[in-house]
Amino acid sequence: DQQVKQNSPSLSVQEGRISILNCDYTNSMFDYFLWYKKYPAEGPTFLISISSIKDKNEDGRFTVFLNKSAKHLSLHIVPSQPGDSAVYFCAARVFNTDKLIFGTGTRLQVFP
Amino acid sequence: DTEVTQTPKHLVMGMTNKKSLKCEQHMGHRAMYWYKQKAKKPPELMFVYSYEKLSINESVPSRFSPECPNSSLLNLHLHALQPEDSALYLCASSQAGSPDTQYFGPGTRLTVL
């Protein structure tokens, strides 16, 4: 039973445009949500997080939106750059624990 | 220094071998993690150490044995593995109680023959 889902395995976006990556979750017992980026042959790199009591967090070109009623979060990248091409994982922290549950990942390709 | 290092990068072992994976960080983090990642799947948590004590074991088979000799080092001892254990093994660290910002190592690619 996949508690954190990324339904789009891949996304292709033109450089300069907005990239929107989506994530859905089924468990209400999460208190933080995170996005990680992963290049081939490297470990995941933390990008941005959001507390479950907030609905938006912004850091430079990256903004994460949380819709608790829909159990949905999204990552917006504006403007998209070729260096953003990677696999993006959303993750959710089980409330008050050290446990993260990862989504299945979305491969983003930004083309010139 | 925000680096988590893992050795070896690649490991090939037979089902009767005993080997160990090593992970090291010098960020002063007191929580360290082992994850397993199969191809086209998300990382799955195996173990969490907090202040050098095992705090989470996700029902991992006993052929995987973690060890945290000190606050900077984390080992994963492997014995009598199965071919289905072949995967990328990722180590991560974070401030204890703040798993929301985990730093990951590059992983060890393990192949069990």
Side-chain angles (χ1 to χ4, degrees), chain A residues 10-30:
Chain A
S10 64
L11 175 67
S12 189
V13 172
Q14 189 172 31
E15 182 179 6
R17 301 276 189 149
I18 183 171
S19 294
I20 300 176
L21 297 104
N22 294 304
C23 181
D24 297 294
Y25 60 97
T26 58
N27 190 333
S28 297
M29 295 302 289
F30 297 134

Side-chain angles (χ1 to χ4, degrees), chain B residues 30-42:
Chain B
R30 300 306 295 273
M32 297 186 75
Y33 310 76
W34 281 115
Y35 288 84
K36 173 181 176 180
Q37 186 177 21
K38 303 279 276 184
K40 299 191 189 302
K41 297 288 188 182

Side-chain angles (χ1 to χ4, degrees), chain A residues 15-110:
Chain A
E15 182 179 6
R17 301 276 189 149
I18 183 171
S19 294
I20 300 176
L21 297 104
N22 294 304
C23 181
D24 297 294
Y25 60 97
T26 58
N27 190 333
S28 297
M29 295 302 289
F30 297 134
D31 58 0
Y32 274 93
F33 300 89
L34 305 88
W35 285 93
Y36 281 84
K37 177 166 86 171
K38 187 178 186 301
Y39 293 119
E42 295 184 13
T45 303
F46 169 76
L47 272 178
I48 190 168
S49 66
I50 187 167
S51 165
S52 61
I53 62 173
K54 299 197 173 182
D55 54 19
K56 178 182 175 181
N57 189 25
E58 191 172 355
D59 184 3
R61 296 186 299 116
F62 302 93
T63 303
V64 57
F65 295 93
L66 176 62
N67 182 334
K68 287 184 287 294
S69 60
K71 291 190 172 65
H72 177 84
L73 66 153
S74 61
L75 175 68
H76 293 209
I77 306 174
V78 182
S80 301
Q81 299 173 355
D84 296 329
S85 298
V87 176
Y88 288 78
F89 290 98
C90 67
R93 185 180 95 153
V94 177
F95 179 79
N96 212 28
T97 72
D98 289 327
K99 182 174 179 178
L100 292 183
I101 297 177
F102 283 80
T104 47
T106 296
R107 181 175 300 280
L108 173 66
Q109 183 183 6
V110 181

